[in-house]
Amino acid sequence: MVSPSSKEIFIQGVTLEGKTFRPSDWAERLAGVMSQFRPGGAQRGSHLGYSPWCVPTTMNGFKCIVVHRDLQAHEPMAWDFVLNFARDNNLQVVEACLIPDAEK
C-alpha cells in the first residue's frame, strides 16, 4: 500500500521474488502509455515525450518508473492503472523522493 503522504513512488523492474522483470523496455512502454497525462492535459505532439508525472529511469541497475502523486490528483484512473500494473506483475514499489543532481 502506498501512503497518501508520499510525493513520488518508484516502481522497480524487479519482482518481489528478486527476478528482473521482462521485457527489458517495460518502463519506457508504460511511460509512453502514460505520456498523455501531464500538466495542462494532452497537447499536440505530447506523445513524443514522457509526462513529468511518470518518468522511466534506471536505479541500482534496474529499470524503474518514477510516478509523481500529482498524477493521482489529475487523473485517478491513470494512477490506479500504474499501481495495478505493479501489483499484477508483482513488482516492488518504493515510496521515495527523487532529488535532482546538484548544479555543477
Side-chain angles (χ1 to χ4, degrees):
M1 187 72 182
V2 177
S3 79
S5 63
S6 62
K7 289 286 188 188
E8 295 173 324
I9 61 167
F10 299 155
I11 300 174
Q12 299 177 330
V14 59
T15 66
L16 295 173
E17 295 80 26
K19 296 181 181 177
T20 301
F21 184 63
R22 299 285 182 228
S24 62
D25 65 344
W26 72 270
E28 291 83 1
R29 290 183 187 197
L30 182 56
V33 169
M34 303 307 291
S35 67
Q36 65 181 318
F37 303 107
R38 58 182 60 241
Q43 299 170 358
R44 185 180 183 115
S46 64
H47 66 285
L48 299 175
Y50 298 123
S51 167
W53 295 332
C54 192
V55 181
T57 191
T58 302
M59 299 178 80
N60 298 326
F62 292 103
K63 294 280 186 140
C64 297
I65 277 258
V66 180
V67 186
H68 197 277
R69 177 68 67 174
D70 287 347
L71 176 63
Q72 183 182 30
H74 178 74
E75 185 53 62
M77 287 177 35
W79 174 264
D80 290 342
F81 175 82
V82 172
L83 291 182
N84 287 334
F85 175 87
R87 187 192 71 229
D88 293 347
N89 289 291
N90 213 23
L91 298 177
Q92 295 182 20
V93 176
V94 178
E95 298 176 29
C97 179
L98 191 60
I99 300 172
D101 292 333
E103 294 288 327
K104 291 184 181 184

